[in-house]
Amino acid sequence: MATNTFNGGSLSARLQFNQRLTFNAVPSPRFSSISSYGRRNVSFSSKPRSTCIRVSCAAKPETVQKVCKIVKNQLALPDDSTVTGESTFAALGADSLDTVEIVMGLEEEFGISVEEDSAQSISTVQDAADLIEEIISKQSP
């Protein structure tokens, strides 16, 4: 009697056979097949595995530029100061009240409404720009 073990991607199978056996696996969590001519001593098990996919979309450069301009205005930063998508509000000197005022300025400029939970998750200019585009895309059919 021969014993073979197959481990791959999202399934694991242990096969014991005396007869001719074929095993086909397609790299997909939902499809695999097993065939045994004679059907003796065949065992099969599939172990579920979780899959995590993270999709990240960066906001358009125009949106980031608008957000940078609004942040500079709200914080009364000098014209020569550099504000980029990676700039954090804290590093720019913003306190919690400044952050609320920035969010209000963004709502007015982009014609959107930012929920309080979402507003609290904003810590960088890029975060704000991404959130704005997400809200706008949800508003569009």
Side-chain angles (χ1 to χ4, degrees):
M1 179 188 307
T3 301
N4 288 349
T5 302
F6 170 82
N7 289 309
S10 63
L11 80 119
S12 175
R14 182 170 182 226
L15 309 172
Q16 298 177 349
F17 54 93
N18 288 329
Q19 305 283 329
R20 192 170 115 189
L21 177 72
T22 60
F23 180 78
N24 300 316
V26 176
S28 167
R30 295 189 178 165
F31 180 79
S32 63
S33 66
I34 187 167
S35 303
S36 174
Y37 301 100
R39 300 192 194 280
R40 292 195 317 186
N41 300 325
V42 175
S43 64
F44 178 78
S45 68
S46 177
K47 295 181 182 177
R49 299 188 191 250
S50 63
T51 302
C52 181
I53 298 174
R54 181 177 180 183
V55 177
S56 177
C57 299
K60 297 176 198 167
E62 308 86 57
T63 305
V64 176
Q65 289 174 353
K66 278 186 178 181
V67 173
C68 288
K69 183 179 176 185
I70 291 167
V71 169
K72 283 176 87 170
N73 288 339
Q74 290 292 333
L75 298 177
L77 297 174
D79 290 337
D80 63 342
S81 63
T82 303
V83 177
T84 66
E86 293 79 30
S87 300
T88 63
F89 295 156
L92 296 172
D95 60 18
S96 58
L97 182 58
D98 292 325
T99 303
V100 170
E101 290 175 357
I102 290 169
V103 171
M104 289 171 51
L106 296 172
E107 288 176 326
E108 186 177 323
E109 176 69 25
F110 291 96
I112 60 172
S113 178
V114 179
E115 294 182 17
E116 186 177 338
D117 292 342
S118 297
Q120 291 177 354
S121 69
I122 299 171
S123 62
T124 67
V125 170
Q126 186 68 50
D127 290 343
D130 291 343
L131 179 62
I132 289 165
E133 290 204 355
E134 180 183 331
I135 292 170
I136 291 172
S137 71
K138 286 181 182 178
Q139 290 176 348
S140 301

